[in-house]
Amino acid sequence: MKNRIQSTITLFVHSIFLLGVFLIGSQSMVYSQTAKEQGILDTFGHKEVVVYKTVDGMELNMTVFYPDPDKIQERNPWMLHVHGGGWAGGSKYNILKKPFLGTLRSLLDNGVICFTIEYRLARGSSTAYDAVVDAKDAARFLLKNAEKYKLDMERYGIWGGSAGGHLSLVTALGNDVDFQGDPLLKGVSPKFKCVASYFPFTSCVNPDIRPGSIFEDGKLFVRLLGAPLHEKPELARLLSPTELLKESSPPILLLHGDQDTTLPIINSIYMKDVAAEKNADVQLLTVKNAGHVFKGQDISPSMEEINDHAATFILSHLKETNVPLQPQNRNDQKEGSMSKNAYWNNDTPLVPFRLPPAPIGYQPTYIDLDQDGDPDILRTITIHNTPVQWIDDDDDLKVGDIEGDTDSDCVMVDVNKDGKYGDYGDLAVDWIDTDGDGKADMQVLVENSEREVSKMSGPGQHYMWVLDTDNDNVFNYIDWNTFKLRAWLHEGSSNFMEDYNGQSTFLKIHASTYFMDDVRLNWENPFLFFDQDDDGLSDMAVRVLDRYKGGSDKPTGEGLHLTGNAGLVAVTYDMDNDNAPGNEFDFDMSFRFTGKGFNYMDQVHEFKNSRVVEADSFFIDSRWRKITELLYPDHNNVLDLTYDRGEWDEIYFVYDEDDDCERWERVEFYDPLDPFKTGLNNGGLDNNQQADAIGDRGEWDLDYSGNANLYISKFDGRLHLYGAEWGCWRIDQLAYSYQGWGGLYNEYTPRWERLQKEFHPFGTFKYEDTDNNGFLDKIEMDIDGDKRFERTILLKDLGIDDQCEIINTSKMGYGDYRKLHTTMSNDIWKKAEKAIRVAEAYGLNTSWYALMKNPKSENQKYQYGYWLQFYIYMDLMHKTMSENKNLDVEKINKAYFGGNWDMLMD
């Protein structure tokens, strides 16, 4: 491959002009510049043209724009520009158009080398795929020749608009192995630090973004793919940025006009929604009144502001933090100035517990809103040059402070760097000291949606209160490198960093407050954790869901109309109290009440909320800053309200029989569906994506006839739900399909992905109440996992009375459940000891089961006691049938399922 470097730009421009425009239908990469473009080119004093590859005898080149010589370092950050033009036209000199020109100048002023490339246009046999290959090869060429061009091997990004915006995204997000190009560049793998994509096309596979666009009739896909869409589904996926996006993708800035009819803004909104689901770092700057290429009158932000915004985003990811940012065409220097020595934990692999302070030497700006002589506002920056504003609600801020405090101040993060705090796309965290002791008692987190969102409720939006009811000063866990709430992160198996341990409370909705009618209410309202033995760990938890207007658990299109009526309550218990450091959240049993529920508007919790009133104007919705009361059932009242006031239609029950649940919420419920189908949303017991695939026992009282009461059955000695029509247990004896904390919402793996292995075969026991008296009396057993029940037992056929003592749960506290579990486990173990004696009396060698004969905990008594009885029962049945012994099969069945081993000792 040869490099063609012209000594003067004049010679280059004249050569291009003489050759004329590119030929329609050909792949000649020859362009002419307009007089205007020529004039702009002449303003750049340091540039050259370089050939980066030759394909099919055709040279592809790039124009290099260099910063002034005094800004050139040994290793310089760089940006690769990919032009637009409908994939079949355009020029690399599109970079000189208004949406990009100011950004180009800012980048050069800040020491960033910029390259704008030719690529094969989508004509003849070439497609958009070839364009991506060329763009990747351009980056590969530059990395291979980094020393020659003084390029940094890590600090580089890519940008482009329209078709170039799409190609930039695919170039950055697509796997290198899927876009192999020039063999001379093989082995070089670009990893871009950031992407700026202007008014892009974002998905070939989502038909919802096509109406009203140039893709509406589908014909343009022939240009992109080389064939109709339905003929190239895999290529369509490869060329769809939303399909390629993942959590580890580089930060992306989307810029889009809200009046774009060429590639409507739904493209960027959809990508932003996908990013929220995958926890990818994608920002969207919406340009009001702007069409494609930001054409329009009175666009907002202005073209200059758009250029500055893009430059700031790019520089925040490419520039070292000890290099000052030089504003382009501005007289108003940003507040403070960048200095040397950034905070030590910026973007390291260590846990970002705190908001990174500004670099050492950065001078904050102080604002006295109430004119009392001391500052009320502190403005500074944090990681990635992100603007931050502190509101001094407790009036103790002083000039010279570099940040506010976390006892009674509010921090506002301008996440999208649009110069507005508390606005669309931004984050605010407010600490409230209600009793004046110098420690926060409450924390509010508000994460606002982007200006244009397709959903009022969903990922990327939060309104969440955490109440420090156990005085441990632990609140939300926020990843301060990304400004994202990470409520599922944990150390060890399940020690969550969010405040779930102990006697804790939070109220939460996945929505922005400006969609809500009443910000005193919430959706999860509340989520309560109980620490009954005061060991700092959670022994039980209660989740209360408010029903939206109309009784639905989903918002309407008109807004989020919360009602103050609890329509779902889930209660979970650690029955054997074996949670401990390293084994947190080992819940064993859960109830779920659903129905009309109960009204809780009289559950008023007032608090003192001091604030700087003059700061209300910073918030797009300041109502949550003004409230002095929240409405929710608390630790003292929630169970009484559930049982005494609640009107319920049904109740679900689940027991974690394989003891592998370490989820902070509860043992998740099985659904009354197919006993054998597995997989989330697949129509089986574990249809709920959060449920254990295998190992739990679910029972369902679908008319609430049993009033949430329990009983201990004769046939297995275990707790069952009184009134349940049926139940099912998927057996995972050794927890091969280990659930742990579940894996969903991991935010480092795709959303809705379980970490546990869903294996086959597995045994299944099914229970039914055939006589409708509230007690299960039919047991069907699929022991070999072939999805057929080979054994069926009807208690009445054995002369066993299925009725048992009913346990009234309405007034039971955690201590009562603890006693119940202890009694149940001891009784199961005593029966197991009797079963051992019976087995030995009939000549069975029980030493095979020595492991289970030595329980070391209450839970092992429960587990081993059950399984010893079952194995001995099955061995006795086998012995009888194989040896023709004088053992009565019916008598064995009656002894086992009646829980009366003594009858075999006669």
Side-chain angles (χ1 to χ4, degrees):
M1 180 181 297
K2 69 174 185 176
N3 292 342
R4 182 176 62 212
I5 305 176
Q6 295 176 236
S7 58
T8 67
I9 188 62
T10 303
L11 177 60
F12 165 70
V13 172
H14 281 264
S15 298
I16 295 298
F17 184 79
L18 289 172
L19 287 169
V21 299
F22 63 84
L23 302 176
I24 300 297
S26 76
Q27 277 293 331
S28 174
M29 293 292 108
V30 181
Y31 304 98
S32 66
Q33 287 76 54
T34 65
K36 183 176 181 180
E37 287 176 335
Q38 176 65 63
I40 296 173
L41 273 172
D42 288 342
T43 66
F44 293 92
H46 310 283
K47 52 191 176 293
E48 63 178 342
V49 178
V50 177
V51 173
Y52 69 90
K53 73 182 285 189
T54 300
V55 56
D56 297 330
M58 178 177 58
E59 292 180 339
L60 297 178
N61 69 46
M62 60 178 72
T63 295
V64 190
F65 295 89
Y66 290 106
D68 290 338
D70 61 344
K71 290 182 167 61
I72 297 289
Q73 308 292 322
E74 282 303 310
R75 290 288 182 267
N76 299 278
W78 51 280
M79 284 293 291
L80 190 70
H81 183 266
V82 185
H83 70 79
W87 295 273
S91 158
K92 62 181 177 177
Y93 293 112
N94 283 9
I95 197 173
L96 304 179
K97 294 184 182 296
K98 288 181 180 180
F100 317 106
L101 181 59
T103 302
L104 172 63
R105 295 192 187 281
S106 287
L107 295 177
L108 295 174
D109 286 346
N110 281 274
V112 179
I113 301 174
C114 295
F115 302 83
T116 182
I117 67 167
E118 296 177 338
Y119 56 81
R120 281 173 287 174
L121 302 176
R123 297 173 177 178
S125 61
S126 295
T127 67
Y129 174 85
D130 299 302
V132 176
V133 169
D134 293 343
K136 278 187 173 285
D137 274 351
R140 292 168 181 144
F141 169 83
L142 292 172
L143 289 170
K144 187 174 182 179
N145 294 277
E147 185 172 355
K148 177 179 180 179
Y149 296 106
K150 296 187 175 182
L151 304 180
D152 196 290
M153 296 288 286
E154 295 183 356
R155 293 181 294 140
Y156 56 94
I158 189 168
W159 58 319
S162 194
H166 164 259
L167 295 174
S168 297
L169 289 168
V170 178
T171 302
L173 303 179
N175 291 326
D176 265 17
V177 295
D178 294 325
F179 298 93
Q180 295 294 329
D182 192 332
L184 297 175
L185 302 174
K186 189 175 181 180
V188 182
S189 182
K191 297 186 183 303
F192 296 95
K193 273 282 191 179
C194 63
V195 186
S197 179
Y198 300 62
F199 28 86
F201 177 61
T202 61
S203 176
C204 298
V205 300
N206 180 10
D208 294 338
I209 69 172
R210 297 175 202 157
S213 78
I214 56 175
F215 284 92
E216 186 166 18
D217 62 7
K219 294 179 181 179
L220 195 57
F221 284 113
V222 177
R223 181 188 298 178
L224 255 70
L225 309 175
L229 178 62
H230 68 273
E231 295 181 12
K232 297 280 188 177
E234 184 56 31
L235 182 57
R237 191 197 69 79
L238 280 180
L239 294 178
S240 295
T242 52
E243 299 298 301
L244 303 174
L245 189 67
K246 53 188 176 182
E247 196 275 340
S248 59
S249 297
I252 296 170
L253 172 64
L254 304 173
L255 306 95
H256 221 125
D258 66 355
Q259 302 301 313
D260 194 332
T261 57
T262 302
L263 293 171
I265 194 173
I266 186 63
N267 280 272
S268 290
I269 293 172
Y270 175 60
M271 187 159 187
K272 189 73 170 61
D273 287 347
V274 171
E277 293 179 355
K278 296 183 178 182
N279 200 45
D281 185 357
V282 175
Q283 302 176 25
L284 171 59
L285 177 67
T286 299
V287 183
K288 285 293 190 181
N289 306 317
H292 203 58
V293 202
F294 300 143
K295 290 182 179 179
Q297 298 293 321
D298 300 319
I299 67 170
S300 177
S302 68
M303 195 69 77
E304 180 182 353
E305 290 169 331
I306 293 168
N307 275 274
D308 281 347
H309 187 90
T312 299
F313 169 82
I314 293 168
L315 291 169
S316 72
H317 294 287
L318 299 192
K319 294 289 288 182
E320 296 173 339
T321 53
N322 62 349
V323 179
L325 170 64
Q326 302 294 330
Q328 171 64 25
N329 296 330
R330 283 197 176 193
N331 295 320
D332 54 27
Q333 181 79 10
K334 293 281 187 183
E335 289 127 350
S337 60
M338 294 292 293
S339 65
K340 298 178 180 179
N341 301 322
Y343 182 60
W344 67 270
N345 200 23
N346 281 4
D347 284 326
T348 75
L350 301 181
V351 177
F353 282 106
R354 62 154 297 151
L355 176 70
I360 296 172
Y362 183 93
Q363 297 301 313
T365 297
Y366 306 92
I367 302 173
D368 181 4
L369 291 179
D370 56 11
Q371 303 299 311
D372 65 350
D374 58 30
D376 304 294
I377 300 293
L378 183 155
R379 287 182 176 169
T380 182
I381 60 172
T382 183
I383 189 170
H384 305 148
N385 298 330
T386 305
V388 171
Q389 171 173 284
W390 287 88
I391 303 174
D392 180 32
D393 287 324
D394 55 357
D395 200 31
D396 61 357
L397 183 68
K398 302 181 296 297
V399 173
D401 290 345
I402 63 172
E403 63 182 7
D405 57 53
T406 56
D407 57 14
S408 198
D409 285 359
C410 178
V411 64
M412 308 175 72
V413 183
D414 180 14
V415 178
N416 55 18
K417 303 177 185 177
D418 64 355
K420 300 176 182 178
Y421 301 92
D423 201 69
Y424 296 108
D426 291 336
L427 175 73
V429 182
D430 195 356
W431 292 266
I432 302 173
D433 178 9
T434 61
D435 56 11
D437 66 350
K439 289 179 57 180
D441 303 293
M442 312 170 80
Q443 184 196 71
V444 198
L445 180 145
V446 177
E447 184 180 7
N448 287 337
S449 70
E450 296 295 336
R451 183 183 299 272
E452 303 290 347
V453 292
S454 58
K455 298 178 181 178
M456 293 182 189
S457 176
Q461 305 179 56
H462 288 96
Y463 174 47
M464 183 169 182
W465 291 78
V466 179
L467 315 181
D468 190 24
T469 43
D470 54 2
N471 298 311
D472 61 1
N473 205 224
V474 179
F475 296 101
N476 285 299
Y477 173 67
I478 302 165
D479 180 344
W480 288 108
N481 282 334
T482 62
F483 313 116
K484 293 294 184 182
L485 178 68
R486 292 292 183 86
W488 283 71
L489 290 190
H490 57 92
E491 63 178 11
S493 60
S494 56
N495 187 25
F496 291 91
M497 301 175 73
E498 190 81 1
D499 189 27
Y500 301 146
N501 279 302
Q503 189 89 356
S504 304
T505 305
F506 73 75
L507 327 172
K508 181 182 73 174
I509 187 170
H510 299 282
S512 304
T513 58
Y514 38 78
F515 294 134
M516 299 172 61
D517 288 347
D518 189 342
V519 295
R520 299 175 303 162
L521 301 174
N522 229 299
W523 174 59
E524 285 182 306
N525 199 41
F527 212 121
L528 301 168
F529 299 91
F530 293 75
D531 180 13
Q532 300 293 335
D533 54 6
D534 201 28
D535 61 356
L537 300 168
S538 299
D539 312 311
M540 59 178 285
V542 179
R543 181 192 193 217
V544 179
L545 292 190
D546 187 289
R547 285 296 193 205
Y548 293 106
K549 187 177 181 180
S552 171
D553 59 358
K554 301 294 183 184
T556 65
E558 293 77 34
L560 303 182
H561 306 287
L562 297 171
T563 60
N565 199 78
L568 183 152
V569 176
V571 188
T572 193
Y573 299 92
D574 177 13
M575 296 291 286
D576 55 356
N577 196 27
D578 63 348
N579 57 18
N583 190 44
E584 299 87 357
F585 298 100
D586 189 8
F587 292 130
D588 301 301
M589 183 184 77
S590 301
F591 297 108
R592 191 188 79 178
F593 303 78
T594 54
K596 183 178 179 181
F598 61 87
N599 187 278
Y600 62 85
M601 290 297 287
D602 58 346
Q603 303 297 301
V604 181
H605 301 271
E606 297 180 347
F607 59 93
K608 181 181 178 182
N609 186 9
S610 301
R611 78 182 201 280
V612 178
V613 175
E614 293 82 357
D616 288 349
S617 60
F618 290 120
F619 298 88
I620 191 171
D621 179 14
S622 62
R623 290 177 301 158
W624 63 268
R625 284 268 295 170
K626 301 174 182 178
I627 60 175
T628 57
E629 64 180 28
L630 295 170
L631 309 180
Y632 63 91
D634 63 13
H635 288 87
N636 296 324
N637 296 331
V638 66
L639 291 179
D640 287 339
L641 290 169
T642 300
Y643 281 96
D644 299 341
R645 192 183 290 185
E647 298 179 41
W648 306 112
D649 296 330
E650 59 186 26
I651 183 168
Y652 286 15
F653 166 92
V654 66
Y655 205 100
D656 183 28
E657 295 292 3
D658 57 350
D659 199 35
D660 67 346
C661 178
E662 294 172 331
R663 299 182 67 255
W664 61 267
E665 296 176 289
R666 61 193 161 270
V667 184
E668 191 53 80
F669 300 94
Y670 276 171
D671 288 321
L673 299 172
D674 192 292
F676 302 116
K677 287 183 179 179
T678 58
L680 56 92
N681 302 319
N682 197 39
L685 301 180
D686 64 326
N687 192 66
N688 185 322
Q689 58 268 14
Q690 299 177 144
D692 191 356
I694 306 159
D696 291 356
R697 172 168 55 91
E699 295 173 9
W700 308 280
D701 177 4
L702 301 178
D703 58 6
Y704 199 66
S705 59
N707 296 304
N709 291 323
L710 299 170
Y711 65 95
I712 294 177
S713 74
K714 298 171 184 176
F715 64 82
D716 62 4
R718 292 170 162 176
L719 282 171
H720 291 269
L721 180 65
Y722 176 61
E725 289 83 9
W726 71 289
C728 211
W729 172 28
R730 286 183 175 170
I731 299 170
D732 186 9
Q733 193 174 1
L734 298 181
Y736 283 126
S737 180
Y738 190 80
Q739 183 184 25
W741 66 278
L744 295 173
Y745 320 109
N746 183 16
E747 300 176 347
Y748 292 109
T749 57
R751 189 173 174 82
W752 306 125
E753 179 179 287
R754 289 172 173 163
L755 293 185
Q756 69 179 136
K757 178 182 179 182
E758 299 173 2
F759 75 93
H760 297 269
F762 54 85
T764 303
F765 286 6
K766 182 181 178 183
Y767 315 97
E768 290 185 53
D769 176 14
T770 64
D771 56 6
N772 297 314
N773 68 348
F775 299 95
L776 301 170
D777 54 41
K778 180 181 179 182
I779 302 99
E780 296 178 278
M781 294 183 283
D782 170 21
I783 299 173
D784 58 10
D786 66 353
K787 300 183 181 181
R788 291 191 298 268
F789 295 117
E790 60 266 17
R791 289 174 180 266
T792 299
I793 299 293
L794 284 167
L795 297 185
K796 62 183 178 181
D797 289 349
L798 297 174
I800 299 173
D801 183 2
D802 62 351
Q803 297 189 45
C804 304
E805 180 182 353
I806 297 172
I807 302 169
N808 186 344
T809 62
S810 64
K811 299 302 178 185
M812 290 178 63
Y814 178 69
D816 300 312
Y817 282 99
R818 279 289 301 117
K819 292 176 183 177
L820 178 60
H821 188 273
T822 300
T823 300
M824 174 178 63
S825 300
N826 287 338
D827 288 347
I828 289 175
W829 182 248
K830 288 176 183 177
K831 290 178 181 178
E833 290 177 322
K834 289 183 178 181
I836 292 170
R837 291 195 292 270
V838 167
E840 291 173 347
Y842 285 95
L844 292 178
N845 180 4
T846 62
S847 66
W848 295 109
Y849 308 127
L851 174 67
M852 293 193 292
K853 291 166 69 174
N854 295 279
K856 301 175 181 64
S857 68
E858 183 173 307
N859 182 60
Q860 287 187 351
K861 285 184 177 182
Y862 175 84
Q863 298 286 353
Y864 292 171
Y866 172 84
W867 283 113
L868 272 170
Q869 293 182 76
F870 182 79
Y871 275 77
I872 289 170
Y873 160 68
M874 294 299 292
D875 284 351
L876 285 172
M877 295 291 285
H878 180 79
K879 185 179 182 70
T880 299
M881 291 183 288
S882 64
E883 300 181 8
N884 294 317
K885 297 292 184 181
N886 292 324
L887 278 173
D888 187 333
V889 170
E890 183 174 335
K891 192 174 183 181
I892 297 173
N893 278 327
K894 191 167 185 177
Y896 175 69
F897 289 101
N900 183 11
W901 289 100
D902 289 334
M903 65 186 302
L904 294 180
M905 294 295 290
D906 297 339

